[in-house]
Amino acid sequence: MAERTIPGGQTEEAIQAAPVESAPLRLSRRSRIEKWMFIIPAALFQLVWGWFPLVFAFALSFTDARVRGPISFIGLQSYTRMWGDPLLGEAFRVTFIYAAMSIVLTFVIPILVAVLLMEMPPRVMRWMMLLWFLPLSGIASTILWKYMYNPEYGLMQGIVRLLGLPEQRFLNDPNLVLFWLIFPGILLFGPGLIYMAALQGIPSSYYEAAEVEGAGFWRKIWTISLPRLRPVISMMLTFAIIGSLQEFYWPQIMSGGGPGSASRTVVMYLYNLWGNLRFGDSTTVAIFLFAIIMVITVIYRTFYKEDPDA
Amino acid sequence: MNKQNLMSRRQFLKTALATSAAVLPVTSVLASSASAPARVQSEITIITSGWPLTPMPTAEEIEADKARAGYAEALQTWLDENPGVTFQQVEVNIWDQQAIVTAISGGTAPTYVFPTSIGGWTNAGARNAFVQGLMADVGPAIEKYGLIGKLTPGALSGWQPINEIGDAYMSFPIDSGMDVFHYRRDLLNELGIEEPPLDWTWDDLIALAKALTAEGRQGLAAPTWMAEAILSDHGFDILSQVPSPQNGWNWMRDTSDPKWVELLTEYRKLVFEDKAVYSDVSYTTDNFTNAFVNGAVGLMRTNVLGAFGSAAQENSMAAMANRIGKPYEEVIGFRGIPRGDNGYFSNPIYVGGVAIGPDTNDETLDKALGAVDYMFLGAGWDLQKAGQYAATQDLQAVFNYPIPIDGKYTYEGVPGAFEDAWGQRTKDDILYYAGLPKAPDEALYMPVEQNPGPDNQAFEDAWSTINYVADEVDPAAVLKQAQDTWNSQAAGFSSSVDDAAFIDGAKTYYEALDAFWKDASPEFYESTFKPWYDSKVLPALG
Amino acid sequence: MEITVNNLTKRFEDKLAVNDISFSIGEHEFLVLVGPSGCGKTTTLRLLAGLEMTSAGEIYFGERRVNDIRPKDRNVAMVFQDYAVFPHLTVFENIAYGLRSRRVARNIIQESVPAAAKTFRIDHLLKRKPRQLSGGERQRVALARALVRDADIYLYDEPLSNLDAQLRHQAREDILALHQRKLRPSIYVTHDQSEAMALGDRIAVMRGGKIEQIGTGTELYERPNNQFVAFFIGTPSINLFQVTLRGEGEVIWADSSAFSIRLPEELYPKIRSHVGKKVQFGIRPEDLHVPKRAPFPVDADTMIGGVVNVIEPSSTGSSVYMSTLGEKSQDFVATFNLRLPATYLNKEIELAMNLRRAHVFDLETEKSLLYS
Ligand SMILES: Nc1ncnc2c1ncn2[C@@H]1O[C@H](COP(=O)(O)OP(=O)(O)OP(=O)(O)O)[C@@H](O)[C@H]1O
Ligand SMILES: [Mg+2]
């Protein structure tokens, strides 16, 4: 997804630097040297490709930067300008709704589905997984979905008609366009497969012990499946939050941000600003987004402590 | 300057790249291998991404595409006359603004760049980018190669105002295009609909779109900006903008004229009640072209530069005529941009050119544009075309430039002319539109703006809403919101032009406009322009 | 409440894990299941717990047929082979798990969990997570979780297999004490014979999905039904020799390449039918004695000779590994409650057999001629 490497996209790496617990093993001198041999290039790489652009963007946001010619510091001009920009406010509104919806629909729902699937007989489950796996590559195609969503001859309208529901305008409907952009992601079930892999790693004796101890279906899910999924959920949720707040590709290709501004995300907006040679404004928006993602991630990390027992 | 032209032109260029359409050298980029030739020790190296000129085709490339022989011969002739010059191919997407801006700032830009993409596909953006130093001044080459003398008056008036910035020039012209509406002449005959006159209006267009709508077919293919087009073609671009020198940013938008709401309401009726419009938020140019050549649409706005694809190309209108089994002219007709019912009209022709990367030295710039001049406007052009004809025997393939900027409709060594390939009527109609008077361009009068300003996003959102949202939409509210958003954004910017210079420029600009319209369309002048000028512009300029 | 199992069968695809077994456990009984790995012990427990569906046969908890009752409604307590302690719950919550599932009142949980923890001496660990416990402590959490509530039947699947000898001993005492308090039918799977002997009211020996014999430890040891039980019970295992029974007037001799002995008369009624045939003759290592110390009259016809290969001292004396003399030499073991000096290594010695405690098995059916 080359389209994602947009200006300001540096924020991604910066936030992904989540704390990782390293095993405090006693290493021999030699393997300690080896350890540094691996870590130093990675750290340098992160510094150069992750933090440097961020610092650079930060610096840029206080200038009237142009590609050529003199650059002068203009203080907080970009900040006040973008703070007062109604379209940016709108883009943030869209982005938050998009993120919330996509987290509920493509993140929370798959947890439930995966958990329920695990209760199926193994044979059924294997078939279901195959059913999901096979079309994986094709399902994420924007071209396919553009056809699917065509209000005249698209397959989705066919299904809607078949179900006797009122005809839909799909991507042309400003109230539902975000939902339809997320919808393929629901079918994609990507996180679901990861949950299922994680669920399969839970020893069955936990469930059996619970059963013997009188636990019913929901209690088993609540007291075993979900707690055991915690580390996976935690990691995936971090990615989902960061990823959905930086959504660009699907709305850009599928709806171009429309109709109106109904699906224009913050990253799309800052991309447009960049396109109009408004580098300072564009990076300012990137800094806004970075700050918001940072705050959300920190809050989330604080409330959602890593659990070494899970 | 007309925004829609640029938008569809951008699409056109993308399509041209993807479908190997009109511009020969461009198509060959796809055929040529990505491997760049080793840097040959020479005095001058011209670096190209493949447009508008490619390095010398290899024997295999010529073998694969015989038409390339003409190009090779022409280029060789030029190289022989210019010893020490070599072309080097690099992989840079000069059509992608971000990629090319990055390349320029990193010093890896090719010699040839495309100004409009650097400017984010607006002329104002391109001029702004030029002022910021993203392109070199091509003025010396313009002078040396006597370019101004080579262009037709129409091409000159289309190119010069936009490309002359102060005493510098942004680009070197190579081709010209305009937006037109292509329609299915055969269907009109079948349905007994009278052909619209050359000076047709939007009322005619709407009637035609409705008449062409039938089971399995919609009248008009419409991208998002079609909602804007109906307004622009009634003078919206001029009339919705008022100078406001008292503000930091010297312009304001004013869309309060009830005329606009009336037009938008009419357009939405066509879309949502008559269901005569083929449009969807997800459509791209490809969708419209496919729909048209497959008969799902009867009327489509296109750029003539891409429209004259030979019948050998599957998705061309010529191929469609072949499939139907009738001569091209009996199947395909076109009309220029319709006039407004208020008497407004525009000459939609624009001239495209090649710009030079800012790191290019004077000598290289000179040779690079010398080659372009030779290959597009000199003897090289005829050599290429003759070679292409010899290889394909396809007149349609050869005459794919409907508006030659030097006015040449015949090429030495090619038997026949443009009209033999596409019909006399086609040529006459093009010339009719090319001959329309052209209103004064703001860029000719206003001092060049050095600072970025508010972009058109707010209005583009409005057009998108008008075009796609089926539920209750109040065009008045949508327009008002766009205007207010734009004005509130504008409050955050300041102009680099001082007020006195701005007022001076604006006064001369509007005086020129006033004089033009008084003469060109008394109807528009009396009913619309004059009252507006008196009530909005003059008070603002004090 | 008595547990009855009738013709219980469990088939996994083509594998018969449990093959038509029947047994019953008395109301207060503690039954120990032993058998080689893969013989179906765990499967039997899981069938009782309801974690596997029966392929055939019936299971009764008292009068109630439980075949189709889900595990959570069977009121079974089970300790798993791998503990299955929930890693994300504290010790307290682990122990309270079953009570909470059954919606036991909060104040009762607050009382009974610490009490159960106390029984297993983990009451000081209630706030910890399993990660912070030793293997033995985790084991005891599993025990406490199973035993904190009153179940109709208690199932233990090798619960102490991962503990060291001392801890195992202690836990065994705890389990027994608890059992004596609750007095509910219990089944206990183990590989450890001393554990089986110490815990079980009765012991069931399984092989290949079948129960070979059920009885008290002494019964199984002294009167095994068949060669497998005789061989499986007792460490070191019983010595088996292939012999031919030879009748010589009133006397029956057992002849092998290594020895020729005269069998005591009380065996004759049971073995007379096999005179002239080959049988397996079994003698436990503890029934081989140094002649001078034998607690029975010794003569040449009760002696077996052999070369000492290994002397292995034990807590109570020593195990001596030997080979018979003669052409086809065969290994056998004797255990003494004295320490055999190392000087005997590679020496030839003669041992006396306590033939009253000998066993004789049919060569084909492996059935005991004496006790079946
Ligand atoms: N789910 C299953 N599917 C197929 N075969 C199984 C399954 N569970 C057990 N078996 C087989 O049934 C037989 C009995 O298994 P079981 O676990 O009851 O043995 P066990 O006596 O408990 O052995 P161990 O002492 O090693 O724990 C084994 O051969 C095993 O391979
Ligand atoms: Mg087992």
Side-chain angles (χ1 to χ4, degrees), chain C residues 10-13 15-18 35-46 52 81 157-158 189-191 206 209:
Chain C
K10 177 65 192 181
R11 184 185 292 278
F12 293 113
E13 275 128 41
K15 164 89 190 170
L16 266 177
V18 171
S37 189
C39 69
K41 305 181 295 290
T42 298
T43 307
T44 307
L45 289 198
R46 291 169 58 82
E52 302 284 358
Q81 206 164 348
D157 194 355
E158 306 191 32
V189 170
T190 180
H191 273 116
M206 284 190 77

Side-chain angles (χ1 to χ4, degrees), chain C residues 164-327:
Chain C
D164 69 37
Q166 205 164 1
L167 272 175
R168 194 177 334 181
H169 197 78
Q170 203 161 49
R172 192 193 292 169
E173 296 298 309
D174 296 337
I175 290 171
L176 211 54
L178 212 100
H179 173 66
Q180 252 125 40
R181 217 162 59 220
K182 303 229 176 186
L183 287 176
R184 292 292 158 81
S186 303
I187 305 185
Y188 190 102
V189 170
T190 180
H191 273 116
D192 180 342
Q193 290 192 31
S194 59
E195 201 167 288
M197 297 293 178
L199 285 171
D201 295 327
R202 286 192 300 158
I203 298 171
V205 180
M206 284 190 77
R207 173 166 69 150
K210 283 196 169 296
I211 292 183
E212 295 283 341
Q213 187 173 359
I214 298 189
T216 62
T218 325
E219 266 168 25
L220 295 182
Y221 190 73
E222 294 181 349
R223 293 190 294 284
N225 278 342
N226 58 41
Q227 192 180 313
F228 175 77
V229 174
F231 190 80
F232 194 78
I233 302 287
T235 14
S237 284
I238 192 168
N239 299 302
L240 291 166
F241 302 94
Q242 208 179 80
V243 300
T244 310
L245 295 182
R246 173 168 55 84
E248 200 182 86
E250 283 301 292
V251 185
I252 299 177
W253 292 80
D255 295 341
S256 80
S257 59
F259 57 82
S260 187
I261 49 175
R262 197 181 64 212
L263 297 174
E265 281 164 29
E266 53 257 55
L267 304 184
Y268 292 178
K270 301 252 169 89
I271 63 174
R272 190 160 286 141
S273 55
H274 281 68
V275 169
K277 291 184 186 164
K278 288 192 169 167
V279 294
Q280 287 283 9
F281 170 83
I283 185 91
R284 294 203 180 270
E286 59 175 30
D287 294 324
L288 294 173
H289 296 266
V290 177
K292 268 184 278 177
R293 294 197 163 217
F296 52 87
V298 176
D299 63 39
D301 297 340
T302 62
M303 297 294 246
I304 175 168
V307 181
V308 176
N309 295 329
V310 177
I311 300 170
E312 199 178 85
S314 69
S315 54
T316 53
S318 54
S319 304
V320 180
Y321 293 82
M322 305 169 60
S323 317
T324 56
L325 306 170
E327 268 164 51

